Amino acid sequence: MTQPKRKLRSSEWFGGDGKNAFMHRSWMKNQGLPDHVFDGRPVIGICNTWSELTPCNAHLRGIAEHVKRGVYEAGGVPFEFPVMSLGESNMRPTAMLFRNLASMDVEESIRSNPMDGVVLLVGCDKTTPALLMGAASANLPTIAVSGGPMLNGKFRGQDIGSGTHVWKFAEDVKAGRMVVSDFLAAEQGQSRSAGSCMTMGTASTMASMVEALGIGMPDNAAIPAVDARRGVLAHMAGRRIVDLVNDDVTISQILTKEAFENAIRVNGAIGGSTNAVLHLIAIARRIGVELNLDDWDRLGRAVPTIVDLMPSGRFLMEDFYYAGGLSTVMAALDEAGLLHRDAITVSGKTVGAIIENAPNYNEEVIRPFNNPLTKEGGIAVLRGNLAPSGAVIKPSAATPELMQHRGKAVVFENIEHYYERIDDPELDIDASSVMVLKNCGPRGYPGMAEVGNMPLPAKLLKQGVSDMVRISDARMSGTAYGTVVLHVAPEAAAGGVLALVRDGDFIELDVAGRRLELMVSDEELALRRAEWLPPIPPQGGYPSLYVERVMQADTGCDFDFLVGRRDAGIPRHSH
Ligand code: FES
């Protein structure tokens, strides 16, 4: 057996002949474990977000079995443990409300238990950042294994994408282009295997971020959940985590500034979700890496989107895997000089070694750099009097003609107000209007709902209008699209200028110039501010803690008291 470079943390629980070691070992032995399990081999925690209420992660107990095989094979001993699971499709008011809570569960589960390294089993959108944030603060050797995407959705001869086709079909029904019975018939075909959304939504984006950051194994992003190679990947992750423990390679040695820079560029190239902006900044701040909105804008500018996947493009994750997956994309970035090749990864290889000679099997799915899907693929960060701390837009999901636009605001005070007004035939709105939604930010909603891609009014859809400028302090589902300005900071509920916008105000959006301006004088804004009343905060329970301590979108919506590393160390024993 390879000897660990330093004394194992788990030996503080299981080593020796004293009363404490007796107690720790004895209780564990009720699971049928022999003596040699506690002979000083690395103890690996498998942090599982399995839940039948998180359909995208419902297969993760099977993945855990593969990880265990690898751990045993490499001379370690695995223990699977559950943490709070965040299912995007079911959780209300929004899974994002619980990301920080789950991260606390992860961090404290790691710190309080006898483990030397941890494998994070993630999948559905928020499970990835929540587990990475918690593990980053604990700073043990760590590998993330994503559950993988579902197989391509199928409906009457065409491929349909998770989320993206829900939005599309719902609009078709609203516009009278599709009957409800057809709409319902698409349900089963959209989600036809285990796995997460198979569009380049937030789950696939975050699985790609895991791979790009080097905290996951090669091919983590794209192998379908039900492909046997996902099991192989999990098995190999089990082997590698034991090596990382033996070599004392902690998560902070992998998640460096260079790793984040690689990930941001990869996000541009894959046309990844705007949610990644929040999550990567939050993870970086946990580990102590300086990362901000300007990094996103600066690093993404030169990066075209070359992956032709929904919601921006045509294909789905299964096609992406068969075309070569993320290594092919990273090889293209490397060729353009846009990658830190020397960044180390949990696989034991550098990024450069992994992507060497990565083939491209389908240039329609992963397009060449000189024939991209969108020239400007990164996330654009906008500033101006309407968003002094920043707002974001995903140019690859927007309509080019609308990226420079001046229009009259149609204001919705909150999401209920939007639903009340949007299909009112009297609503004074046309294709040139700018839809503004307030009070859906981290404190306002609370939890920062994915409602920023407000569906257009039925009367305009029927006229054939397919996109309009929309602005809010909300987030947008990674599976959605449109000229949608999101994450306005400070948010309305925190007294941002967004709170002061009124119907009929002119707003100017200039994506190329990175500007977002409300054309109202400072004097008038001061008068409006004097009349503004903050919303009543939630009374009691977790939501009141959330609203009190959550930070704004530009710093990743973490709790102020969770920023930074609190290495797991060895807690005092209690017996
Ligand atoms: Fe779980 Fe999309 S709803 S990944």
Side-chain angles (χ1 to χ4, degrees):
M1 216 163 70
T2 319
Q3 280 309 307
K5 269 191 179 159
R6 70 169 180 174
K7 189 177 168 201
L8 292 178
R9 188 172 175 268
S10 59
S11 68
E12 291 286 334
W13 277 262
F14 299 134
D17 298 328
K19 180 192 72 172
N20 284 321
F22 175 105
M23 291 183 77
H24 295 132
R25 291 190 300 248
S26 170
W27 262 267
M28 290 297 274
K29 283 178 175 176
N30 82 344
Q31 298 176 80
L33 300 171
D35 280 338
H36 71 260
V37 163
F38 302 106
D39 63 1
R41 59 191 68 208
V43 174
I44 306 301
I46 300 177
C47 180
N48 204 340
T49 49
W50 166 85
S51 165
E52 288 177 346
L53 286 169
T54 305
C56 317
N57 295 19
H59 64 301
L60 290 187
R61 294 217 68 200
I63 298 281
E65 290 308 314
H66 289 283
V67 176
K68 285 179 192 175
R69 288 184 206 167
V71 171
Y72 282 127
E73 216 174 75
V77 56
F79 294 112
E80 187 182 347
F81 65 97
V83 288
M84 185 181 192
S85 185
L86 308 176
E88 200 65 31
S89 56
N90 282 329
M91 288 188 99
R92 294 183 181 184
T94 167
M96 181 65 174
L97 178 62
F98 308 106
R99 184 199 65 175
N100 300 346
L101 178 64
S103 81
M104 290 163 75
D105 181 358
V106 172
E107 180 184 346
E108 301 310 333
S109 294
I110 293 173
R111 174 174 293 108
S112 57
N113 277 299
M115 65 186 86
D116 303 302
V118 60
V119 176
L120 311 172
L121 300 191
V122 296
C124 198
D125 300 14
K126 306 301 175 292
T127 56
T128 305
L131 270 60
L132 282 173
M133 287 161 71
S137 285
N139 196 28
L140 291 184
T142 303
I143 298 181
V145 174
S146 302
M150 289 186 251
L151 297 175
N152 287 3
K154 296 281 177 187
F155 179 61
R156 297 188 179 160
Q158 63 162 319
D159 279 6
I160 59 169
S162 322
T164 303
H165 273 84
V166 182
W167 311 126
K168 183 182 176 313
F169 289 159
E171 278 185 1
D172 286 351
V173 170
K174 222 170 152 184
R177 293 188 292 264
M178 188 180 205
V179 294
V180 173
S181 55
D182 283 354
F183 175 70
L184 295 176
E187 256 177 41
Q188 185 87 48
Q190 182 201 253
S191 312
R192 66 191 183 94
S193 83
S196 47
C197 291
M198 85 309 269
T199 38
M200 188 51 84
T202 305
S204 299
T205 300
M206 291 310 294
S208 302
M209 296 297 91
V210 162
E211 186 173 338
L213 285 165
I215 197 67
M217 301 294 281
D219 285 332
N220 179 74
I223 303 175
V226 295
D227 191 310
R229 288 167 282 191
R230 180 63 60 182
V232 174
L233 180 146
H235 187 123
M236 298 312 288
R239 289 182 63 110
R240 277 299 301 162
I241 190 67
V242 176
D243 295 340
L244 294 182
V245 169
N246 285 330
D247 294 339
D248 196 24
V249 180
T250 59
I251 188 171
S252 61
Q253 294 173 54
I254 305 288
L255 297 185
T256 58
K257 178 83 185 207
E258 287 70 30
F260 284 101
E261 293 193 346
N262 281 347
I264 289 173
R265 286 194 164 126
V266 165
N267 187 276
I270 61 176
S273 160
T274 44
N275 281 317
V277 178
L278 303 168
H279 300 324
L280 256 58
I281 290 177
I283 296 164
R285 288 168 61 94
R286 290 291 188 102
I287 212 102
V289 168
E290 286 290 324
L291 194 75
N292 55 40
L293 279 181
D294 294 329
D295 289 318
W296 277 90
D297 196 287
R298 174 177 61 85
L299 293 158
R301 264 185 200 239
V303 181
T305 296
I306 56 169
V307 175
D308 193 346
L309 252 60
M310 295 178 208
S312 304
R314 294 173 293 162
F315 299 98
L316 293 166
M317 287 301 285
E318 203 184 332
D319 309 306
F320 182 43
Y321 179 50
Y322 304 148
L326 203 71
S327 291
T328 308
V329 176
M330 291 179 78
L333 283 169
D334 182 41
E335 229 180 272
L338 294 173
L339 209 64
H340 298 291
R341 293 177 61 85
D342 296 336
I344 62 162
T345 75
V346 292
S347 71
K349 294 184 183 164
T350 60
V351 165
I354 292 172
I355 62 173
E356 200 67 55
N357 302 321
N360 185 343
Y361 297 113
N362 188 336
E363 291 204 344
E364 275 197 73
V365 179
I366 304 175
R367 301 163 70 131
F369 240 60
N370 57 14
N371 182 26
L373 182 67
T374 322
K375 267 207 185 114
E376 196 184 352
I379 304 284
V381 176
L382 311 168
R383 291 183 204 273
N385 69 344
L386 192 46
S389 302
V392 303
I393 185 169
K394 181 173 163 182
S396 65
T399 303
E401 299 73 47
L402 287 175
M403 291 210 277
Q404 175 103 38
H405 184 79
R406 187 187 158 107
K408 261 198 217 170
V410 176
V411 177
F412 307 101
E413 292 299 324
N414 50 42
I415 194 67
E416 289 76 24
H417 189 221
Y418 162 81
Y419 285 123
E420 268 165 37
R421 280 186 97 191
I422 191 64
D423 287 329
D424 178 351
E426 302 301 311
L427 183 66
D428 183 12
I429 190 166
D430 62 33
S432 71
S433 303
V434 174
M435 294 166 69
V436 176
L437 174 62
K438 303 177 182 176
N439 292 307
C440 289
R443 279 156 70 170
Y445 192 68
M448 205 175 176
E450 286 189 337
V451 292
N453 58 311
M454 294 164 261
L456 310 186
K459 65 178 179 186
L460 297 186
L461 286 170
K462 283 183 187 140
Q463 289 167 19
V465 176
S466 58
D467 193 11
M468 287 168 66
V469 173
R470 288 159 270 180
I471 299 173
S472 74
D473 46 15
R475 294 177 301 119
M476 168 170 93
S477 163
T479 61
Y481 46 83
T483 311
V484 185
V485 177
L486 302 153
H487 307 186
V488 168
E491 64 176 311
V497 171
L498 185 67
L500 311 179
V501 184
R502 292 188 180 164
D503 275 340
D505 288 348
F506 273 97
I507 292 179
E508 201 165 285
L509 168 69
D510 172 12
V511 177
R514 300 299 196 255
R515 282 182 41 250
L516 183 65
E517 301 285 350
L518 177 65
M519 314 307 278
V520 173
S521 70
D522 290 348
E523 295 72 34
E524 169 64 16
L525 288 179
L527 289 175
R528 292 183 190 180
R529 183 168 295 288
E531 288 172 19
W532 178 74
L533 290 174
I536 299 163
Q539 300 299 306
Y542 171 72
S544 59
L545 168 75
Y546 184 90
V547 166
E548 205 180 302
R549 307 305 289 269
V550 74
M551 298 185 301
Q552 289 294 288
D554 57 310
T555 51
C557 302
D558 202 356
F559 289 155
D560 52 4
F561 61 94
L562 291 177
V563 173
R565 245 170 61 194
R566 295 163 289 278
D567 291 17
I570 298 160
R572 250 181 318 164
H573 59 76
S574 56
H575 312 303

